Amino acid sequence: MSAGLAPGIDRLGTETAFSVLARAKELERRGRSIIHLEIGEPDFDTPEHIKAAATAALAAGHTGYCPSAGIPELRAAAAAYLGASRGLEIDPEAVIVAPGAKPFLFFGILAACGPGDRVLYPDPGFPTYESAIRWTGAEPVPLRLDEARGFALDLDELADALDGGARLVILNSPNNPTGGVQPADDHPAIAELLAGTDAWILSDEVYASFLYEGSFASVTEQAGMLERTILVDSCSKTFAMTGWRCGFAAVPEALREPITRFLVNSVSCVPPFVQLAAVAALEGPRGEVDAMLAEFAARRELVVDGLNRLPGVSCHAPGGAFYAFPNVGGVPVGAEELAARLLDEAGVAVLAGTSFGTTAQSHLRLSYAASRAALAEGLERMERFLATL
Ligand code: PLP
């Protein structure tokens, strides 16, 4: 006997990367050699000065509860960081701290949307968007990222989708899973389209520091946009701090208290010693972030060249993040079967594009947050496997 589950629990989706990781680890446990290209986290350690700040904070006794919206030091540092990197003035009072970027996606959607609301989100996109939208009972409206535009939004399609109404529009550039970047030139037109609606915007900018050409541009730089945007960033990727769980966002005034209330009711706060380490990350030297980006740039070349040499595979050079999203439409098996067989038969863990929505049926996602040697070996295994098909 059991009491059963909440009605609607099936509406809550998941992130395939974690299940593929579990399966890959199980194969490894049984003695198989696996090349891990499935998980989206930097393969670098957190810089020493950040770890030292956490250790010092622990030694100084910063181990208790602290304010749910974040400690004032981090809210101020994050306001300055977001402002300087986006050319904006951001009030520390507007900044909320949470355990990673993810709570802003989930609680932001929960705070702003309800049954029947239309929520526009990128497809392919980070799975939490659709999952949280469905959980609220809102209507998920996928915004196709256009492969021909390097996986940027098509503005006519955005206009058409907005015509049907929108409670919230989610943007994510650089994008996971495609590495696509919305050209900065598009932002005035995007802002004009959004200005004609009363939609909230959630701009997920966790890959803002990983851009291979040009400089980062955020839609919030356009007049009138910051006031209606949950501008989300995180220490996770930029400072190789995925396990620390520390994200931050500039939040429109009306949403600050509700999002904080979700934090009060769920996680209470981000540990203060983690927050003090995040202050050191945001205010400290950027040398290791720059070195990480330079290494990702070299790997990007290796992976994109290698993929484009494989039969039936074509791959855009991603403009940002650390994911390659090759089109495998010319391979004689479908992307899901290919991903499964690459893991089981070739020992290469990748994800199928179908894990990220409905529009990328013929794609794989490879994270190149792996060493060059692992990437080269993964590509060789893929080549050998494709030759058997
Ligand atoms: N947003 C995007 C687009 C991501 O790719 C990820 C992690 O993969 C997140 C948010 C979550 O980041 P965090 O670890 O800070 O919660």
Side-chain angles (χ1 to χ4, degrees):
M1 279 288 282
S2 82
L5 300 175
I9 192 71
D10 290 343
R11 292 200 309 271
L12 197 62
T14 188
E15 220 186 311
T16 316
F18 286 100
S19 37
V20 173
L21 176 68
R23 165 121 187 91
K25 291 276 180 201
E26 172 57 23
L27 289 172
E28 264 175 339
R29 209 181 52 79
R30 288 195 239 141
R32 291 279 308 282
S33 146
I34 304 291
I35 302 290
H36 288 280
L37 308 181
E38 75 278 40
I39 202 86
E41 68 176 343
D43 54 321
F44 299 92
D45 196 6
T46 306
E48 280 307 323
H49 69 277
I50 301 174
K51 291 203 252 182
T55 312
L58 279 169
H62 294 280
T63 54
Y65 289 131
C66 62
S68 290
I71 59 171
E73 297 92 318
L74 181 54
R75 294 175 77 186
Y81 176 87
L82 288 169
S85 47
R86 278 81 171 169
L88 300 165
E89 274 288 322
I90 294 184
D91 179 358
E93 287 289 311
V95 173
I96 299 177
V97 176
K102 254 185 187 171
F104 291 111
L105 312 183
F106 210 87
F107 297 148
I109 292 168
L110 255 58
C113 308
D117 290 333
R118 282 166 54 91
V119 183
L120 282 45
Y121 67 104
D123 183 342
F126 191 53
T128 296
Y129 308 142
E130 188 184 341
S131 175
I133 297 164
R134 286 193 187 283
W135 180 250
T136 64
E139 180 191 348
V141 181
L143 287 171
R144 185 183 67 95
L145 298 183
D146 185 0
E147 185 167 11
R149 299 195 75 213
F151 294 105
L153 288 177
D154 177 287
L155 301 196
D156 291 333
E157 290 181 25
L158 174 62
D160 285 349
L162 287 170
D163 275 348
R167 181 78 179 171
L168 171 72
V169 178
I170 302 175
L171 303 172
N172 171 222
S173 172
N175 167 263
N176 177 10
T178 64
V181 173
Q182 196 73 37
D185 292 355
D186 287 349
H187 283 150
I190 292 176
E192 201 179 315
L193 288 172
L194 293 169
T197 74
D198 58 4
W200 294 113
I201 302 159
L202 191 159
S203 188
D204 180 344
E205 302 184 359
V206 301
Y207 297 104
S209 295
F210 298 119
L211 211 75
Y212 301 105
E213 283 139 32
S215 49
F216 177 71
S218 165
V219 75
T220 55
E221 291 158 30
Q222 304 297 316
M225 290 295 109
L226 181 64
E227 295 77 357
R228 54 159 76 190
T229 303
I230 306 174
L231 162 55
V232 182
D233 204 338
S234 172
C235 293
S236 292
K237 318 280 176 175
T238 308
F239 304 104
M241 292 175 71
T242 51
W244 295 67
R245 310 310 300 138
C246 191
F248 46 92
V251 178
E253 194 167 356
L255 290 172
R256 284 175 210 159
E257 191 278 332
I259 288 178
T260 306
R261 212 173 341 139
F262 275 109
L263 294 169
V264 170
N265 276 283
S266 54
V267 293
S268 292
C269 63
V270 173
F273 54 91
V274 168
Q275 295 194 49
L276 288 164
V279 172
L282 298 181
E283 292 181 344
R286 295 274 295 183
E288 283 169 82
V289 180
D290 294 342
M292 200 156 59
L293 178 61
E295 177 59 24
F296 284 145
R299 294 174 185 180
R300 163 187 179 249
E301 221 172 291
L302 187 158
V303 169
V304 171
D305 288 353
L307 288 167
N308 279 320
R309 275 199 293 272
L310 298 177
V313 179
S314 63
C315 185
H316 271 284
F322 37 72
Y323 305 109
F325 202 65
N327 188 322
V328 293
V331 173
V333 299
E336 278 186 28
E337 180 182 340
L338 181 60
R341 291 181 62 185
L342 278 172
L343 177 56
D344 288 338
E345 298 174 35
V348 185
V350 299
L351 304 181
T354 46
S355 303
F356 299 95
T358 53
T359 63
Q361 296 289 320
S362 314
H363 296 76
L364 298 179
R365 188 193 83 169
L366 282 71
S367 160
Y368 49 88
S371 71
R372 294 190 213 189
L375 292 166
E377 171 68 17
L379 287 163
E380 255 181 61
R381 290 184 187 190
M382 287 176 78
E383 187 174 6
R384 283 200 298 274
F385 175 75
L386 291 176
T388 66
L389 293 178

